[in-house]
Amino acid sequence: QQVTSITSKKGVTLMDIHSTQRDTYTFLSTVFGNFEKHKLSVDVLASSEVSVSLTLDKKQDLKQVDDVIRDLEPYADVTLHKQRAILTLITDVERASEVLANKCFFEDECAVEQFVAEEDTIEKSSSTIRVTA
């Protein structure tokens, strides 16, 4: 069995935040401090020392989102991508790349080719692979 389960979520807002500062040791605390200040909830998260990609809960107030972007602009480049989707495949981590490459698994090959070609984030963990686009 290639895939244990599949879930998806449409209409998601993705925020990409990339540090513009040389001193990166405070970047993540600055980002999440602003999310706390404006009471924004994060759904899916991928991060490194100098960048964060995350999706926002659909119920977020747009003014709160704009306020976070404004507060982060002195420290980071922030890009907002609206109307994205999250696709989660639960599979054996050793077979994750094989599952993504196997277009026969999916009903609409063209849609999958376009989806995989436009992926924003691939996050692997010990038991799953998450593709967020």
Side-chain angles (χ1 to χ4, degrees):
Q1 181 178 10
Q2 287 188 328
V3 174
T4 304
S5 82
I6 301 173
T7 63
S8 66
K9 189 175 189 179
K10 294 181 181 179
V12 175
T13 299
L14 172 70
M15 184 182 287
D16 285 321
I17 308 165
H18 298 277
S19 176
T20 57
Q21 306 295 306
R22 287 188 176 265
D23 297 328
T24 59
Y25 63 92
T26 61
F27 174 67
L28 292 175
S29 64
T30 300
V31 168
F32 294 112
N34 276 290
F35 274 78
E36 180 181 20
K37 174 183 170 184
H38 296 288
K39 298 182 178 16
L40 283 181
S41 176
V42 173
D43 191 13
V44 175
L45 170 74
S47 67
S48 72
E49 185 180 22
V50 295
S51 70
V52 176
S53 294
L54 52 85
T55 62
L56 300 171
D57 188 297
K58 289 182 180 185
K59 299 174 186 173
Q60 300 298 331
D61 181 350
L62 292 178
K63 183 184 179 331
Q64 291 172 304
V65 174
D66 290 340
D67 289 345
V68 164
I69 292 171
R70 185 192 67 245
D71 287 355
L72 290 174
E73 284 178 344
Y75 313 101
D77 292 326
V78 181
T79 307
L80 207 58
H81 306 275
K82 296 181 180 178
Q83 294 302 311
R84 295 296 181 116
I86 298 172
L87 173 66
T88 303
L89 302 174
I90 308 300
T91 184
D92 183 339
V93 73
E94 285 84 27
R95 301 194 67 201
S97 297
E98 176 187 343
V99 169
L100 288 175
N102 185 358
K103 292 181 213 76
C104 296
F105 173 78
F106 299 91
E107 285 184 28
D108 187 347
E109 291 184 25
C110 295
V112 171
E113 287 177 21
Q114 181 180 5
F115 176 78
V116 173
E118 295 177 1
E119 68 195 30
D120 289 316
T121 305
I122 295 180
E123 181 183 338
K124 291 185 180 181
S125 69
S126 61
S127 60
T128 64
I129 183 168
R130 294 182 189 97
V131 178
T132 306

